Amino acid sequence: MTGKILVSACLMGHAVRYDGRAKPLHHPAIDRWREEGRLVTICPELSAGMVVPRPPAEIADGAGGEDVLAGTARVMEISGGDVTEAFRQAADNALALAEQTGCRYALLIDGSPSCGSGFIYDGTFSGGRHAGHGVTAALLKRAGIEVYSDREIDRLVERIAAAG
Ligand code: SF4
């Protein structure tokens, strides 16, 4: 078996989101991958010491995870707290775990300032969103890990079937 999958803990049913909820993804492939021992679960934000619940955070000024990694954008809480360093640490932790465990793929929930890979929110806390990556997704991608959002699980199924 080749290729483990790093997966967002909230997708696996863990109540780790900022609002204290999970967002479980129900798909036959999840059960199969679990039985095959392919899944490596992490909540990057909790791994960096964040707590549940916590204030919602967004990448400021319509920027993306790549900008945060480059030091040109910040991650801010709705309450005004600057959590940029914690989000960078979260991404580092996720990449370290992916590398230690041999993850070639990541299946991450979309929209999160850490895990988003299709879209993220624009920093205004008004529901505005744009195409982009969260900080963890950006770092994993930069390291060559193939990142899929929860909405792309069927594409990941096909990718893994093709890879064998
Ligand atoms: S950091 Fe990722 S795994 Fe953790 S709650 Fe946010 S979206 Fe879920």
Side-chain angles (χ1 to χ4, degrees), residues 8-10 16-18 42-46 54 109 112 114-115:
S8 298
C10 54
V16 291
R17 284 163 55 86
Y18 72 93
I42 186 173
C43 172
E45 293 176 16
L46 258 58
R54 53 193 177 279
I109 198 160
S112 152
S114 290
C115 291

Side-chain angles (χ1 to χ4, degrees), residues 124-143:
T124 62
F125 297 96
S126 60
R129 58 195 233 182
H130 60 95
H133 294 102
V135 185
T136 292
L139 186 65
L140 293 173
K141 231 177 155 222
R142 193 167 83 182

Side-chain angles (χ1 to χ4, degrees), residues 87-158:
F87 272 69
R88 291 172 66 117
Q89 183 65 57
D92 286 344
N93 293 347
L95 178 58
L97 181 64
E99 289 179 337
Q100 282 160 19
T101 54
C103 290
R104 285 173 49 194
Y105 313 101
L107 179 65
L108 305 179
I109 198 160
D110 218 351
S112 152
S114 290
C115 291
S117 62
F119 75 91
I120 52 174
Y121 291 93
D122 65 5
T124 62
F125 297 96
S126 60
R129 58 195 233 182
H130 60 95
H133 294 102
V135 185
T136 292
L139 186 65
L140 293 173
K141 231 177 155 222
R142 193 167 83 182
I145 292 169
E146 295 179 33
V147 176
Y148 296 79
S149 79
D150 52 308
R151 295 176 301 157
E152 298 175 310
I153 187 169
D154 289 324
R155 224 158 57 72
L156 179 56
V157 169
E158 287 170 18

